[in-house]
Structures are given as C-alpha cells and as structure tokens.
Amino acid sequence: MASLLVLLMFSALLLATAVTKSEAFSKTMKATYPGHKPEKLTHLHFYFHEIISGDKPTSVVVARGPTTNSSATLFGLVAVVDDALTSGPERTSEEVGRAQGMYASADQNQSALLMAFNLVFAKGEFSGSTVALYGRNPITSKKVREMPIIGGTGAFRFGRGYAQAKTFVFNTTSGDAVVEYNVYVWH
Ligand SMILES: *[C@@H]1O[C@H](CO)[C@@H](O)[C@H](O)[C@H]1NC(C)=O
Ligand SMILES: *[C@@H]1O[C@H](CO)[C@@H](O)[C@H](O)[C@H]1NC(C)=O
Ligand SMILES: *[C@@H]1O[C@H](CO)[C@@H](O)[C@H](O)[C@H]1NC(C)=O
C-alpha cells in the first residue's frame, strides 16, 4: 500500500515535470504586459468625410460584380477608402486622423456594407495610434449604426469596443457624405 502511494506520488511528479517542460500554448500574464497600463475607456468623437465626387475623391470603387449595376443595393461593389476624420462637421475643421480601409456592399435586400477600416489618429496623445473597426453598416438606416472595434495599436493596444455612426449630411447630388462617429474603446 505504502509503495503504491510512493509510486503514485512519483508518477505525479514526473507528469508535473513533463507539463512544465513542454512549451505552453497560452499563458495568463500575472503582471501587466510591458507597455500596457491598466484598462481605461476612451471616447472618441469625430466626423468621417466620404468624398466620392470631384477629381480628388477619397473613396474609389475598385470592383463590381456582374449583377452590381442592376442591384438596388449595389450588391458586390467594393471601394477602397482614405477618408478624412475631423473634429467638427465641416470639411475645413481640424483633421484628427484618417479612416483607411474598404467597404463592400454585402446585402442583397438592404443597403448594408461590410466595413473593414483602420482609424489612424494624428492628433494629441493618440497620434500614430490606430483602432481597427470591422462590422456591418446599414447605411440607409435612420438610426445609429453600431460596429465593433476589434483591436488597436499604440495607445489602443488590446483595444476593444464599439463605434456608433450616424449620417450627418448626405448630398444626394454628389453622393458625398459626412458621418458622425462616437467610438468607445477599452484599452
Ligand atoms: C456598371 O456601371 C459602371 C459605372 O456606371 C460602369 O463603368 C460599368 O461598365 C458597368 N458594368 C456593367 C457590367 O455594366
Ligand atoms: C433578398 O434578395 C434576393 C435577391 O434579390 C432574393 O432572392 C431574396 O429572396 C431576398 N431575401 C429576403 C429575405 O428578402
Ligand atoms: C451637393 O453637391 C453638389 C454637387 O457637387 C454641390 O453643387 C452642392 O453645393 C452640394 N450641396 C451642399 C449642401 O453641399
């Protein structure tokens, strides 16, 4: 009986040694990660300028599907974007960053975009930091549209949260739009 107990203890010890020696797939950091301070919630408020008209558009269509032109929702259209983000709604107000990425018309029945964007900030403490936005944007919805924030760099490392978008101005002649954004990020 005693020898069985010793054997059990010995094999448990062997097992423990084997586990600690193997390379861990994941590890919970006990201390804060270097360069990462304890979490805080940051609220960002800015206006997104979608310029498709004129000779200097900041949003260009790069692809259409064979049925895009006959689709009421332009299903299959893909655009690449480098839109200005400003602190106020006017195009001339202070530029705080850019929205760089692309969107695709991904709904056959409603005007809804798949948005994949990096919000690249250029002002103040967030200069050089980015936030990754990815989600569904039903652009014609009168209500606030919500999209996930799925990550970030620099000041926004470990970032997660949500963005709320609301059309501020839509020019039906030119197709240009100004969209108000409220972004909340835990980081
Ligand atoms: C769809 O419309 C665009 C823009 O008006 C045009 O350039 C393109 O040739 C059209 N594509 C098809 C397949 O009709
Ligand atoms: C969505 O649109 C497609 C293509 O027009 C149609 O076949 C489908 O039935 C529609 N679905 C719904 C839920 O309305
Ligand atoms: C809408 O766009 C048209 C064409 O670019 C322009 O002439 C007009 O001034 C714009 N309207 C507003 C309210 O900005």
Side-chain angles (χ1 to χ4, degrees), residues 8-134:
L8 272 175
M9 279 170 72
F10 184 65
S11 47
L13 198 69
L14 266 182
L15 204 65
T17 312
V19 167
T20 49
K21 267 189 183 162
S22 75
E23 198 125 333
F25 164 65
S26 67
K27 189 171 157 190
T28 302
M29 309 292 284
K30 289 209 174 65
T32 49
Y33 187 79
H36 184 237
K37 292 176 213 76
E39 291 203 339
K40 59 186 172 193
L41 182 68
T42 295
H43 174 203
L44 302 155
H45 176 247
F46 51 81
Y47 294 83
F48 182 115
H49 297 262
E50 170 81 355
I51 313 290
I52 65 167
S53 67
D55 54 6
K56 281 185 184 162
T58 56
S59 173
V60 293
V61 172
V62 295
R64 287 169 193 264
T67 58
T68 297
N69 288 1
S70 58
S71 159
T73 63
L74 297 176
F75 178 66
L77 180 136
V78 178
V80 173
V81 175
D82 180 8
D83 281 347
L85 304 176
T86 60
S87 58
E90 298 82 24
R91 180 65 193 88
T92 50
S93 67
E94 187 191 32
E95 186 170 312
V96 295
R98 310 291 297 188
Q100 299 173 341
M102 55 180 138
Y103 60 79
S105 177
D107 189 318
Q108 293 181 285
N109 305 93
Q110 197 193 349
S111 292
L113 306 176
L114 161 69
M115 306 270 287
F117 277 83
N118 290 310
L119 306 176
V120 185
F121 297 102
K123 280 287 177 305
E125 62 177 307
F126 301 124
S127 178
S129 297
T130 70
V131 161
L133 178 152
Y134 179 92

Side-chain angles (χ1 to χ4, degrees), residues 139-187:
I139 47 170
T140 53
S141 170
K142 293 277 183 289
K143 285 182 281 188
V144 166
R145 286 104 61 184
E146 188 167 311
M147 288 162 277
I149 296 299
I150 60 167
T153 64
F156 296 113
R157 277 180 186 168
F158 294 107
R160 66 200 187 286
Y162 63 95
Q164 290 184 320
K166 198 173 196 300
T167 302
F168 188 78
V169 180
F170 176 63
N171 186 326
T172 50
T173 312
S174 63
D176 296 345
V178 179
V179 183
E180 183 179 7
Y181 270 76
N182 279 288
V183 177
Y184 295 85
V185 196
W186 273 113
H187 59 106

